[in-house]
């Protein structure tokens, strides 16, 4: 019997379906189309580069197992990625990317997505067309205004960005400088402006570039004696977006060339958009004349999002990923990750990944473990006394009962929970925890921790205890 792409893929799907949540299956596997099979290589089509990256990041193990069951140990997976085109051509392109880590045992070069490769080769050096010169905009379509959640913390930057996108070069926000701490959305807004402009004005030449890359290109151009080409290239651009200009600090040569490019663009009514992790006044080792240019337009600050905005960002992301998560967990994450949207997203993505790999449910306990990894130092130290009080109160007993020698099941459980939380939330040793909770030895505490771990996995009611207590002890 010959295998077809469809039959192989269907078998894979039924295996995958059994191993992940229905929601994740629906979101990440239903949209995939099997394209062809050649020997041990199956080609599947995925709707976007983002999709491909997500699969590689979150489901590669599962895919590998599924595929090896069907095609043997040499099974290969090739993605056919539909490219999102961010510049004028409207031909849909596809790019084939071999799965990068299908065999973790053999060392293997991680494949650079072709898209990136080509882009880098072509940029900044122009692709000569017949009449018109095409420049790849380097924009990431996943960063757009639609998925940039508005809140008090970003309203000014967001609306200034939209104003610029509506009339590039035609507002007084030129340059538009967006500044703020890490992970607050500077890069996202910078792309969003470019994406929006490309959408509204397909003929405008937009270029997004990081300051580091800009610097590198400049250095290369000096080495290869093409400094003038470099300047000329940048002077052709209608909308220049330079990310993280703080990296230019101390680099006088690059600042100098940027100053000339900037003046040229500005004089010709072209739009410049900059981001930085500092306000202009706080930028160090940036030439005064350049700083004064930065101040010509508008500097808009991105602040850390408030609680409501953090909730909206999380919900928005869940919605987009097609994931449902209990409200109290979203709330827990929003309350504990305060100053960085990237971390907020990171926690969600880890939650989703954990639950789909290990078939774990979304629990507060899982959220807590993941949040802890993100915010190491904010864990507040609670005392063992306090833990015993909270646990006793929760089970409606007094601390003396919790500590007593009795073997009554519910009291034993309460005591084990107290030990477990003491181990988790304090820096005390097992021995010291044991001596403070009813004079037990360290082996008893260790056993308690293991028991709680096991019961949390297997017993729903018990897990509720752990979740409730986690909440009481951490808020
Ligand atoms: P920065 O460049 O300021 O370090 P990024 O733009 O890279 O930050 O943002 C970090 C992550 O947070 C990105 O994935 C981005 O999409 C997301 N993000 C930031 N702000 C928002 C927002 N208001 N709404 C939705 N996503 C956001
Ligand atoms: Mg950034």
């Amino acid at each position: 019997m010959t295998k077809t792409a469809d039959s192989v893929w269907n078998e894979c799907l039924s295996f995958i379906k059994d191993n992940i949540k229905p929601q994740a299956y629906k979101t990440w596997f239903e949209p995939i189309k099997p394209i062809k099979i050649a020997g041990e290589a199956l080609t599947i089509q995925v709707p976007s580069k983002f999709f491909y990256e997500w699969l590689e990041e979150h489901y590669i193990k599962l895919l590998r197992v599924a595929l090896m069951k069907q095609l043997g140990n040499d099974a290969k997976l090739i993605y056919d990625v539909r490219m999102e085109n961010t510049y004028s051509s409207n031909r849909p392109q596809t790019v084939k990317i071999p799965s990068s880590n299908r065999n973790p045992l053999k060392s293997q070069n991680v494949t650079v997505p072709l898209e990136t490769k080509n882009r880098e080769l072509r940029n900044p050096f122009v692709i000569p067309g017949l009449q018109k010169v095409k420049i790849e905009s380097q924009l990431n379509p996943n960063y757009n205004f639609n998925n940039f959640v508005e809140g008090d913390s970003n309203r000014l930057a967001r609306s200034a960005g939209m104003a610029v996108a509506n009339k590039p070069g035609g507002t007084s926000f030129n340059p538009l400088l967006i500044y703020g701490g890490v992970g607050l959305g500077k890069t996202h807004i910078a792309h969003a402006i470019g994406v929006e402009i490309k959408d509204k004005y397909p003929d405008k030449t937009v270029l997004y570039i990081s300051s580091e890359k800009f610097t590198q290109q400049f250095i290369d151009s000096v080495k290869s004696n093409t400094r003038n080409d470099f300047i000329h290239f940048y002077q052709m651009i209608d909308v220049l977006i330079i990310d993280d200009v703080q990296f230019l600090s101390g680099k006088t040569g690059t600042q100098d060339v940027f100053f000339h490019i900037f003046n040229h663009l500005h004089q010709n009514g072209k739009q410049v958009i900059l981001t930085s992790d500092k306000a202009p006044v706080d930028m160090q080792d940036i030439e005064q004349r350049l700083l004064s240019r930065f101040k010509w337009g508008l500097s808009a600050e991105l602040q850390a999002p408030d609680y409501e905005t953090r909730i909206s960002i999380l919900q928005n992301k869940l919605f987009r990923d097609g994931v449902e998560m209990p409200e109290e967990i979203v709330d827990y994450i929003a309350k504990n990750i305060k100053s960085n949207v990237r971390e907020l997203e990171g926690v969600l993505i880890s939650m989703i990944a954990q639950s789909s790999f290990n078939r774990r449910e979304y629990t507060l306990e899982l959220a807590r473990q993941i949040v802890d990894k993100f915010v190491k130092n904010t864990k507040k130290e609670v005392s063992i006394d306090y833990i015993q009080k909270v646990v006793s109160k929760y089970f409606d007993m007094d601390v003396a009962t919790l500590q007593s020698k009795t073997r009554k099941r519910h009291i034993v459980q309460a005591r084990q929970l107290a030990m477990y939380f003491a181990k988790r939330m304090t820096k005390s040793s097992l021995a010291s925890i044991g001596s403070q909770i009813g004079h037990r030895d360290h082996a008893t505490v260790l056993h308690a921790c293991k028991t709680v771990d096991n019961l949390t996995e297997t017993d729903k009611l018990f897990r509720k205890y752990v979740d409730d207590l986690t909440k009481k002890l951490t808020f």
Side-chain angles (χ1 to χ4, degrees):
M1 207 187 75
T2 52
K3 289 180 167 173
T4 65
D6 278 331
S7 70
V8 169
W9 184 240
N10 281 337
E11 291 297 321
C12 289
L13 282 183
S14 64
F15 173 78
I16 290 167
K17 202 171 191 169
D18 280 343
N19 283 283
I20 61 174
K21 306 207 154 238
Q23 189 58 255
Y25 176 81
K26 202 163 166 249
T27 311
W28 299 109
F29 290 92
E30 281 187 357
I32 297 175
K33 288 200 195 91
I35 298 290
K36 73 166 187 198
I37 183 134
E40 285 96 33
L42 176 71
T43 306
I44 57 174
Q45 189 184 67
V46 297
S48 66
K49 180 159 170 273
F50 173 72
F51 211 95
Y52 143 77
E53 286 168 351
W54 185 279
L55 289 173
E56 283 281 289
E57 209 175 314
H58 301 294
Y59 297 110
I60 192 62
K61 280 193 208 149
L62 189 62
L63 275 165
R64 189 186 319 117
V65 175
L67 218 58
M68 276 167 35
K69 277 166 110 75
Q70 297 307 312
L71 299 173
N73 286 347
D74 289 330
K76 289 184 182 60
L77 181 63
I78 297 168
Y79 298 92
D80 202 335
V81 181
R82 290 191 64 102
M83 301 290 290
E84 298 113 323
N85 252 345
T86 50
Y87 67 103
S88 43
S89 137
N90 47 18
R91 258 174 302 122
Q93 282 176 279
T94 59
V95 167
K96 296 202 187 318
I97 308 172
S99 170
S100 56
N101 50 358
R102 61 183 174 263
N103 190 347
L105 299 175
K106 281 187 211 147
S107 78
Q108 195 169 248
N109 293 334
V110 173
T111 315
V112 181
L114 283 177
E115 182 196 30
T116 325
K117 248 192 220 157
N118 288 345
R119 281 184 174 181
E120 273 166 15
L121 287 180
R122 287 188 204 161
N123 185 43
F125 307 103
V126 175
I127 313 158
L130 286 177
Q131 295 99 13
K132 238 192 130 188
V133 168
K134 249 185 213 160
I135 292 167
E136 303 240 12
S137 62
Q138 317 283 320
L139 291 167
N140 178 349
N142 295 314
Y143 286 151
N144 53 54
F145 279 119
N146 278 335
N147 62 14
F148 190 80
V149 174
E150 180 172 353
D152 288 344
S153 54
N154 62 42
R155 189 160 293 119
L156 174 64
R158 192 176 189 278
S159 29
M162 305 249 284
V164 164
N166 284 329
K167 259 180 117 187
T171 67
S172 50
F173 308 155
N174 198 11
L176 173 63
L177 171 70
I178 292 166
Y179 68 94
V182 265
L184 293 183
K186 301 182 294 292
T187 298
H188 188 138
I189 290 205
H191 279 279
I193 298 171
V195 168
E196 186 80 11
I197 293 176
K198 259 340 262 183
D199 196 46
K200 287 208 163 79
Y201 306 93
D203 291 338
K204 286 210 188 287
T205 307
V206 178
L207 180 71
Y208 167 92
I209 185 128
S210 69
S211 296
E212 280 164 305
K213 220 179 203 179
F214 179 85
T215 305
Q216 196 50 51
Q217 287 176 355
F218 171 66
I219 293 170
D220 291 347
S221 79
V222 171
K223 272 193 205 138
S224 59
N225 240 329
T226 51
R227 186 174 178 275
N228 285 342
D229 291 348
F230 174 86
I231 295 176
H232 181 70
F233 170 85
Y234 276 94
Q235 288 180 343
M236 288 186 317
I237 288 168
D238 297 318
V239 177
L240 178 61
I241 305 169
I242 303 205
D243 205 357
D244 289 320
V245 290
Q246 73 273 5
F247 280 118
L248 299 183
S249 83
K251 298 175 179 127
T252 47
T254 314
Q255 286 183 35
D256 193 48
V257 78
F258 179 57
F259 180 75
H260 289 292
I261 292 168
F262 178 91
N263 284 341
H264 180 94
L265 294 178
H266 198 270
Q267 276 159 20
N268 288 284
K270 305 301 169 71
Q271 179 71 46
V272 178
I273 296 148
L274 308 165
T275 77
S276 163
D277 69 352
K278 293 182 195 66
V281 282
D282 298 321
M283 287 184 203
Q284 276 161 9
D285 292 323
I286 301 263
E287 283 177 52
Q288 210 47 48
R289 57 178 185 163
L290 203 49
L291 275 185
S292 87
R293 294 294 187 273
F294 290 176
K295 293 177 194 159
W296 278 0
L298 173 74
S299 304
E301 185 178 7
L302 281 178
Q303 288 162 339
D306 53 30
Y307 169 72
E308 282 76 20
T309 312
R310 298 200 295 277
I311 292 273
S312 313
I313 290 173
L314 289 170
Q315 281 169 344
N316 189 273
K317 180 123 183 72
L318 286 170
F319 177 74
R320 279 170 196 282
D321 290 346
V323 174
E324 275 174 45
M325 198 176 277
E327 225 168 84
E328 61 168 6
I329 293 179
V330 176
D331 190 67
Y332 177 85
I333 299 172
K335 278 195 174 123
N336 285 278
I337 306 265
K338 296 186 180 144
S339 56
N340 186 325
V341 181
R342 189 175 296 127
E343 286 182 357
L344 213 51
E345 288 187 333
V347 171
L348 264 199
I349 291 174
S350 305
M351 292 278 297
I352 296 169
Q354 281 281 343
S355 79
S356 51
F357 273 140
N358 307 329
R359 309 182 72 181
R360 290 177 68 174
E361 280 179 47
Y362 297 124
T363 58
L364 262 187
E365 173 53 20
L366 179 61
R368 198 200 53 76
Q369 287 170 6
I370 292 173
V371 163
D372 275 1
K373 283 189 199 126
F374 278 81
V375 279
K376 289 214 178 58
N377 306 320
T378 55
K379 215 160 134 188
K380 71 175 166 194
E381 174 94 13
V382 293
S383 70
I384 296 181
D385 270 352
Y386 178 71
I387 291 171
Q388 295 188 77
K389 276 190 200 130
V390 171
V391 174
S392 315
K393 183 155 174 255
Y394 179 75
F395 290 109
D396 219 7
M397 59 182 76
D398 48 36
V399 175
T401 313
L402 180 128
Q403 293 184 343
S404 67
K405 300 271 179 234
T406 174
R407 290 179 182 271
K408 279 193 193 134
R409 194 172 129 82
H410 74 286
I411 299 174
V412 173
Q413 274 193 352
R415 191 161 54 231
Q416 289 178 326
L417 278 163
M419 289 174 172
Y420 167 83
F421 280 106
K423 175 70 194 129
R424 219 177 68 186
M425 304 184 74
T426 72
K427 295 195 179 72
S428 311
S429 66
L430 294 171
S432 139
I433 293 170
S435 80
Q436 290 179 68
I437 304 182
H439 303 290
R440 304 303 206 280
D441 64 8
H442 84 281
T444 310
V445 180
L446 191 61
H447 175 71
C449 293
K450 284 188 185 147
T451 308
V452 171
D453 272 336
N454 287 338
L455 285 176
T456 315
E457 291 287 317
T458 51
D459 180 337
K460 273 222 161 89
L461 179 64
F462 196 83
R463 191 165 65 220
K464 184 171 170 351
Y465 297 157
V466 174
D467 279 354
D468 287 349
L469 286 166
T470 301
K471 240 189 297 183
K472 287 186 195 302
L473 288 163
T474 43
F475 285 155

